[in-house]
Amino acid sequence: MGDRTRTHTGAAGRAVTAGRPDSVRNVALVGHSGSGKTTLVEALALTAGALNRAGRVEDGATVSDHDETEQRRRRSVELSLVPVDWEGHRINLLDTPGYADFVGEVRAGLRAADAALFVVSAAQEADAVAGTTRALREECAAVGMPTAVVVTHLDTARTPFDELTRICGRIFGHDDPDAVLPLYVPVQGDEGPDGHAPLTGLTGLLTQRVFDYSSGERREGPPSDGQRGPLKEARDRLIEGIIAESEDETLMDRYLSGDGIDVATLFDDLERAVARGAFHPVLTAAPAPEGARQGIGTVELLDLITRGFPSPAERVLPAVTTQDGTPRPFPVRDAAAPLLAEVVKTSSDPYVGRISLVRVFSGTLRPDATVHVCGHGLGDPGGRTRPDHEAEVRVGALSSPFGKQQRPLDSCAAGDLACVSKLGGAETGDTLSENGEPLLLEPWTMPDPLFPLAVRAHGKADEDRLSQGLARLVAEDPTMRLEQNQDTHQVVLWCMGEAHTEVALERLRSRFGVRVDAEPHRVPLRETFASRAAGRGRHVKQSGGHGQYAVCEIEVEPLPPGSGVEFVDKVVGGSVPRQFVASVEKGVRAQAARGVASGNPLVDVRVTLVDGKSHSVDSSDAAFQTAGALALREAAADTRVALLEPVAEVGVLVPDDYVGAVMSDLAGRRGRVVGTEQATGERTLVRAEVPEIEIGRYTIDLRSLTHGTGRFDRAYARHEPMPPQLAARIRETAESGSKSG
């Protein structure tokens, strides 16, 4: 563990390519917003020699030169890739957003990675750290991702290092908190006037060596006499935790009998336990002190990544099938094997066009090669998928990103990641394979967007570009869903939350040149008759030449929910000629679609035509359509028209501590709790039926109520009558709107 650095690029500024899967490490950095993930990536790049001391490469690019939206918001909103080289290994650092609205980017990063590094800030309150870390831990556990923990911001700590380790132990360890233990402990200087102590170095518990950065250079030495006592207790616990996960059953007996265990053996067992997800070491890190060229703890972190995290050849990979669903064995993960790769992210560049971030699982991807692209969309809990599509596509230029810059690549071999320009119509989740036998990788799931944003074009010029801009936006981000609501006539962009909607609007403007205005989202309501009623429609006009004459009499009665509009003909004696019965029905149905009281569609009624009158000359199809509509409106005026609202079946998954608060909140939204179920990990699933008009902002409100630990899903159940007071207010609003219009 000497003082090491590695270069990032080869000659002429071209990116260095990895040769074998076992020399690659793909690591996703995950953590709560503000935990310092991007700063840590910069510190690792500096230590590995990819950045100079000023935090820049020779062309002036920096790790944090990302999307213009990110620069303005000062937080990451999308996945970014920073490759560095260390000890003969290519390390692809995948920096993921920490804000809950961008969990889709986190899932994409985990799909591309083989291990995850949790970045936890000591500057945050313990409750905030626990909530977000638990949610992210569940994301990693769902895909079997090996993990380690690195603690940042100890110089401004609100939560001590030991407390953060205990929190992570409860979250990661479940029944065995000793599966989460420090591998290195921080060394801090004297407290300043603000009560904070700067991080000056760290001590390796296994090596019992102190790495001191207080002079600006990394100096190695033994612990002081005052440090030995506390270190021994922590070291003994760490050794016991490692041995407990060892595949060598004799180690524990040797340790308990007092035999010394070789440090190299402990490191080997530690690394095997980390790689299979049985142990989660805790480290600490900080940016390089003034004048230093290595961040505190970054050498140790890079060593852990290269030695303790699994290579692409060791990871369990997704299932492979042919296009008709026939299972296929996964190809050999070798550069010489047939190509199998996947698009894990899609983005746009105003100059280059569409850019696809591709993870190569097998074979080698080369520029100008022709590959088969196919996909069946990213599935999600809501059952939403995109239609199948496939094409033979010529691969454009390959590059390796660093901030905003793209560095050319000659090829991308198995296990590695690369950006591909102009990859046809490929979308996130699509599989790239050989033309001879196209294959499909099992897709990962994306969360269902549950926060609605209704938009309209800002001006005439924007109307022409709106449809295309929204389509491209949704194609890039699978966590957005576009809806053109036929009932409310609104264009609705379903997102993950408020921050997600702000980013969507900004990208529409900056990337696609489309300005839109947000408007209140309207929930599709319905109307129905509360009781039987009758109406007479009389349409008689005479103005020279052919006149208009039609009279019809109808009876209306309510039907059970879900019946729609039923039309019955009971005319006798030919009072309404047969050719005009269909005209009456057409007029009734057209009026029902427009509504009779609040401008919402009329449903669940039977309309019976019982009588009418006609004229041999002046009666016509148009006249009887008008008469049918008038008859329905008159019938509505003689009875109470009930307003129906959609009700959703909602499942809310929360930690047990928040069940009471969630149930009270649902009751305040006119919800009915229909049951609870005990879920795994001290969590409860609360099932309820809630009017959709009450849960438009529930994504945000639930996140606030549960400190980011709760999530929910929803599905339409039925329409049912709205409370009279609320219905009256909606009718008044509709009437005032029609008068002003």
Side-chain angles (χ1 to χ4, degrees):
M1 296 183 63
D3 189 9
R4 296 161 289 194
T5 60
R6 290 293 179 270
T7 58
H8 177 66
T9 60
R14 299 187 69 85
V16 176
T17 57
R20 306 182 317 277
D22 59 5
S23 67
V24 179
R25 298 294 183 271
N26 299 309
V27 182
L29 282 80
V30 300
H32 52 87
S33 184
S35 60
K37 296 183 294 298
T38 301
T39 302
L40 179 59
V41 169
E42 289 184 343
L44 292 171
L46 174 65
T47 299
L51 292 174
N52 59 30
R53 296 191 186 189
R56 295 186 173 273
V57 290
E58 64 275 7
D59 53 19
T62 69
V63 170
S64 56
D65 282 343
H66 297 316
D67 184 274
E68 130 183 24
T69 307
E70 294 188 344
Q71 295 178 6
R72 183 161 44 257
R73 299 173 67 85
R74 300 198 176 185
R75 68 180 174 199
S76 297
V77 298
E78 64 179 352
L79 175 70
S80 63
L81 168 64
V82 176
V84 301
D85 299 313
W86 182 256
E87 289 296 290
H89 291 79
R90 159 63 60 84
I91 302 176
N92 289 313
L93 300 170
L94 294 146
D95 186 7
T96 68
Y99 198 64
D101 279 13
F102 307 105
V103 65
E105 299 287 319
V106 175
R107 292 189 182 182
L110 294 179
R111 181 69 164 204
D114 302 305
L117 185 63
F118 272 76
V119 184
V120 180
S121 172
Q124 300 279 343
E125 296 291 349
D127 287 346
V129 171
T132 307
T133 303
R134 186 183 301 278
L136 289 169
R137 168 59 181 161
E138 290 174 356
E139 293 287 341
C140 291
V143 294
M145 188 67 65
T147 55
V149 180
V150 58
V151 177
T152 60
H153 298 155
L154 277 171
D155 53 341
T156 56
R158 294 183 184 178
T159 306
F161 178 81
D162 292 343
E163 175 62 19
L164 283 175
T165 302
R166 284 192 292 271
I167 290 171
C168 292
R170 292 195 298 269
I171 295 171
F172 287 71
H174 298 303
D175 297 331
D176 182 17
D178 283 348
V180 184
L181 293 171
L183 185 58
Y184 296 87
V185 295
V187 177
Q188 294 181 265
D190 297 331
E191 288 188 1
D194 57 0
H196 294 134
L199 181 67
T200 60
L202 64 160
T203 302
L205 293 181
L206 293 184
T207 61
Q208 300 185 83
R209 304 294 290 174
V210 177
F211 303 98
D212 182 23
Y213 289 82
S214 59
S215 65
E217 294 293 332
R218 182 173 180 268
R219 301 181 184 277
E220 181 179 343
S224 65
D225 292 339
Q227 292 174 314
R228 293 183 185 277
L231 287 178
K232 183 181 186 306
E233 181 180 349
R235 185 175 190 269
D236 289 345
R237 188 181 177 195
L238 174 63
I239 292 174
E240 291 173 8
I242 294 172
I243 291 176
E245 299 297 337
S246 174
E247 297 174 352
D248 185 350
E249 297 179 358
T250 67
L251 282 184
M252 183 61 76
D253 293 336
R254 290 166 52 193
Y255 177 73
L256 293 176
S257 65
D259 292 348
I261 308 297
D262 183 63
V263 171
T265 300
L266 292 172
F267 267 115
D268 289 341
D269 279 336
L270 166 73
E271 290 153 4
R272 282 192 288 268
V274 172
R276 68 173 185 268
F279 191 80
H280 314 278
V282 182
L283 300 86
T284 185
E290 186 68 31
R293 63 191 182 102
Q294 290 178 338
I296 300 175
T298 52
V299 169
E300 290 70 26
L301 195 49
L302 289 167
D303 281 346
L304 176 68
I305 289 172
T306 55
R307 298 177 59 192
F309 280 179
S311 72
E314 298 173 90
R315 285 282 291 145
V316 176
L317 297 174
V320 181
T321 66
T322 60
Q323 288 181 284
D324 62 6
T326 304
R328 283 286 185 269
F330 205 98
V332 178
R333 282 169 273 185
D334 184 81
L339 176 69
L340 186 63
E342 185 176 43
V343 179
V344 294
K345 179 177 172 57
T346 308
S347 59
S348 291
D349 183 275
Y351 304 104
V352 179
R354 179 176 291 192
I355 298 176
S356 303
L357 178 61
V358 174
R359 161 77 189 256
V360 179
F361 291 104
S362 173
T364 301
L365 187 66
R366 292 183 173 86
D368 297 326
T370 301
V371 299
H372 192 277
V373 176
C374 57
H376 38 41
L378 295 180
D380 61 60
R384 173 176 53 88
T385 58
R386 294 195 177 142
D388 292 4
H389 63 277
E390 61 175 314
E392 290 187 3
V393 177
R394 185 178 180 183
V395 177
L398 300 186
S399 60
S400 179
F402 198 90
K404 282 187 175 181
Q405 190 190 50
Q406 297 288 336
R407 297 182 167 177
L409 282 174
D410 296 324
S411 63
C412 182
D416 210 350
L417 294 159
C419 288
V420 185
S421 62
K422 301 177 182 178
L423 193 58
E427 297 180 358
T428 302
D430 283 356
T431 302
L432 280 61
S433 58
E434 302 283 351
N435 287 325
E437 184 185 8
L439 298 176
L440 276 172
L441 285 163
E442 180 183 21
W444 72 94
T445 61
M446 280 292 188
D448 202 15
L450 299 172
F451 186 79
L453 172 69
V455 297
R456 63 174 182 269
H458 180 75
K460 178 62 178 174
D462 301 301
E463 289 181 7
D464 300 333
R465 298 190 296 264
L466 179 59
S467 178
Q468 183 181 10
L470 288 172
R472 291 174 64 186
L473 186 69
V474 172
E476 288 186 8
D477 189 347
T479 59
M480 290 182 185
R481 175 165 53 90
L482 185 61
E483 174 194 6
Q484 305 228 11
N485 194 290
Q486 299 302 313
D487 293 327
T488 63
H489 306 292
Q490 285 187 311
V491 176
V492 183
L493 192 62
W494 289 87
C495 302
M496 300 297 297
E498 281 185 315
H500 200 200
T501 63
E502 292 171 10
V503 169
L505 294 176
E506 175 58 29
R507 285 180 177 165
L508 278 174
R509 183 195 63 79
S510 61
R511 289 188 182 180
F512 308 124
V514 181
R515 294 180 303 164
V516 298
D517 297 322
E519 60 183 12
H521 173 248
R522 296 194 296 273
V523 172
L525 305 177
R526 302 283 188 271
E527 300 173 347
T528 194
F529 278 43
S531 60
R532 298 175 67 95
R536 184 172 188 266
R538 183 175 184 274
H539 182 62
V540 179
K541 287 188 177 181
Q542 189 69 44
S543 58
H546 273 299
Q548 298 181 50
Y549 187 96
V551 178
C552 65
E553 296 181 8
I554 62 171
E555 294 176 351
V556 186
E557 58 186 311
L559 293 178
S563 300
V565 177
E566 182 181 329
F567 185 85
V568 179
D569 172 22
K570 286 191 177 181
V571 173
V572 294
S575 58
V576 176
R578 304 310 309 164
Q579 68 268 30
F580 294 135
V581 171
S583 302
V584 175
E585 180 179 0
K586 190 174 181 181
V588 166
R589 291 190 181 277
Q591 184 62 55
R594 294 191 296 267
V596 294
S598 62
N600 295 289
L602 179 71
V603 295
D604 303 334
V605 292
R606 178 184 291 124
V607 180
T608 304
L609 177 61
V610 295
D611 202 359
K613 294 181 181 179
S614 65
H615 188 278
S616 59
V617 176
D618 293 340
S619 291
S620 65
D621 171 67
F624 271 100
Q625 284 190 45
T626 303
L630 289 171
L632 188 61
R633 292 209 297 267
E634 183 177 290
D638 290 340
T639 188
R640 183 173 70 85
V641 176
L643 201 58
L644 305 177
E645 61 179 339
V647 174
E649 293 178 348
V650 175
V652 188
L653 185 64
V654 293
D656 295 343
D657 294 344
Y658 296 106
V659 171
V662 166
M663 293 175 70
S664 297
D665 180 71
L666 290 172
R669 299 172 185 270
R670 300 188 285 125
R672 297 184 297 272
V673 175
V674 297
T676 59
E677 301 173 17
Q678 193 63 40
T680 57
E682 299 181 347
R683 296 170 78 85
T684 298
L685 179 64
V686 180
R687 298 194 179 277
E689 295 181 344
V690 190
E692 289 190 10
I693 203 170
E694 301 286 350
I695 54 174
R697 292 179 53 85
Y698 194 56
T699 295
I700 300 164
D701 297 338
L702 178 64
R703 195 177 294 160
S704 175
L705 184 66
T706 63
H707 294 280
T709 59
R711 62 175 184 266
F712 81 106
D713 57 55
R714 58 187 278 188
Y716 169 77
R718 61 188 173 277
H719 274 73
E720 62 181 36
M722 181 180 286
Q725 321 88 279
L726 183 56
R729 287 201 299 269
I730 290 177
R731 287 195 188 95
E732 290 172 4
T733 302
E735 290 173 1
S736 62
S738 62
K739 289 177 182 177
S740 62

